[in-house]
Amino acid sequence: MGRTALQIGANTFAFFTRNPRGGNAKALDEDDVAELRQIMTEHGFGQLVAHAPYTMNLCSANPETVGFARRAMAGDLERLESLPGNYYNFHPGSHVKQGAERGIELICEGLNQVLVEGQATTVLLETMAGKGSEVGRSFEELARIIEGTTHNELLGVCLDTCHVSDGGYDIASDLDAVLAEFDRVIGLDRLKALHLNDSKNPCGARKDRHERIGDGHLGIDCFAAIVRDERLRKLPMVLETPNDLDGYAAEIALLRSLAGEGRS
Ligand code: FE
Ligand code: FE
Ligand code: ZN
């Protein structure tokens, strides 16, 4: 993963901690982990943003699903102790007819069971598009999850640009206003990482269909504002656009040029 990142001009990346559809994780190869850590130090990588499986739902109505989610998260966090100081991003979940109240309660319960004081990984709640019964579309819901979690010094937020726009926060027209709102409701000190995706749909659509940078409703100016923003430019930024490796290399080069950086 580290070598592939270097190949495309990246100095951070996301990775799935196990099959994104769920299931068991492969056993850790300690030599491989050591080599990655070496590459990261040598090339000045920023923090990595591991991604939990999509099927993980801490607030499902099905207790077995909740049980899997808690076990998977606990297991992933244990494994990530081999790569200390990085991030673990997850989708708060879908409450499926139980209501957001109950959803938030279950998410907090899960986090209270799984987070371990002093762990080396910060867990990030991803801002969601609000598709179906997704919890975490509004900054208020994310704030309530943080407030309801005992060891919330271990929690942060990963802002997905497609999701927040789809969720009704108009970052394309007024990034500043959205960041001010984020700061008021959650606190900008909680913002730890960004998913950079353009959106196939207009603000408020709640669809969650990612588009390549500059080709969607957010547009290139929005991304220029993001990579130039003093509050954001040092955060790890991860692309989840529909692309291949060459496409990602081009997007990274584009974002670096918008930020006024050469390729490092
Ligand atoms: Fe995600
Ligand atoms: Fe995302
Ligand atoms: Zn998405």
Side-chain angles (χ1 to χ4, degrees), residues 126 160 163 195 197 210 240:
E126 181 166 349
D160 184 310
H163 297 178
H195 285 172
N197 304 302
H210 300 185
E240 301 174 312

Coordinates of all heavy atoms in Angstrom, one line a residue, residues 126 160 163 195 197 210 240, ligand 2:
E126 N -17.8 9.3 10.2 CA -17.9 10.0 8.9 C -19.2 10.7 8.7 O -20.3 10.2 9.1 CB -17.8 8.9 7.8 CG -17.8 9.5 6.4 CD -17.3 8.5 5.3 OE1 -16.8 7.5 5.6 OE2 -17.5 8.9 4.1
D160 N -16.7 14.0 4.6 CA -16.8 13.6 3.2 C -17.5 14.7 2.4 O -18.7 15.0 2.7 CB -17.5 12.3 3.2 CG -17.6 11.6 1.8 OD1 -17.9 12.4 0.8 OD2 -17.3 10.5 1.6
H163 N -20.7 13.7 0.7 CA -21.8 13.4 1.7 C -22.3 14.7 2.3 O -23.6 14.9 2.4 CB -21.3 12.5 2.8 CG -20.9 11.2 2.3 ND1 -20.3 10.2 3.2 CD2 -20.9 10.6 1.1 CE1 -20.1 9.1 2.5 NE2 -20.4 9.3 1.2
H195 N -12.6 13.2 3.2 CA -12.8 12.4 2.0 C -13.2 13.4 0.9 O -14.2 14.1 0.9 CB -14.0 11.4 2.1 CG -13.6 10.2 3.0 ND1 -14.6 9.3 3.4 CD2 -12.4 9.8 3.5 CE1 -14.0 8.4 4.1 NE2 -12.7 8.7 4.2
N197 N -14.5 14.0 -2.6 CA -15.3 13.5 -3.7 C -16.2 14.6 -4.2 O -16.8 15.3 -3.4 CB -16.2 12.3 -3.2 CG -15.4 11.3 -2.4 OD1 -14.5 10.6 -3.0 ND2 -15.8 11.0 -1.2
H210 N -20.6 9.4 -5.8 CA -19.4 10.2 -5.9 C -19.1 10.4 -7.4 O -19.4 9.6 -8.2 CB -18.2 9.4 -5.3 CG -18.4 9.1 -3.9 ND1 -17.4 8.5 -3.1 CD2 -19.4 9.3 -3.0 CE1 -17.8 8.3 -1.8 NE2 -19.0 8.8 -1.8
E240 N -12.1 9.2 -3.0 CA -13.0 8.0 -3.2 C -13.8 8.2 -4.4 O -15.0 8.0 -4.5 CB -13.9 7.9 -2.0 CG -13.2 7.7 -0.6 CD -14.3 7.7 0.5 OE1 -15.1 8.6 0.6 OE2 -14.2 6.8 1.3
Ligands
FE2 FE -16.4 8.7 2.3

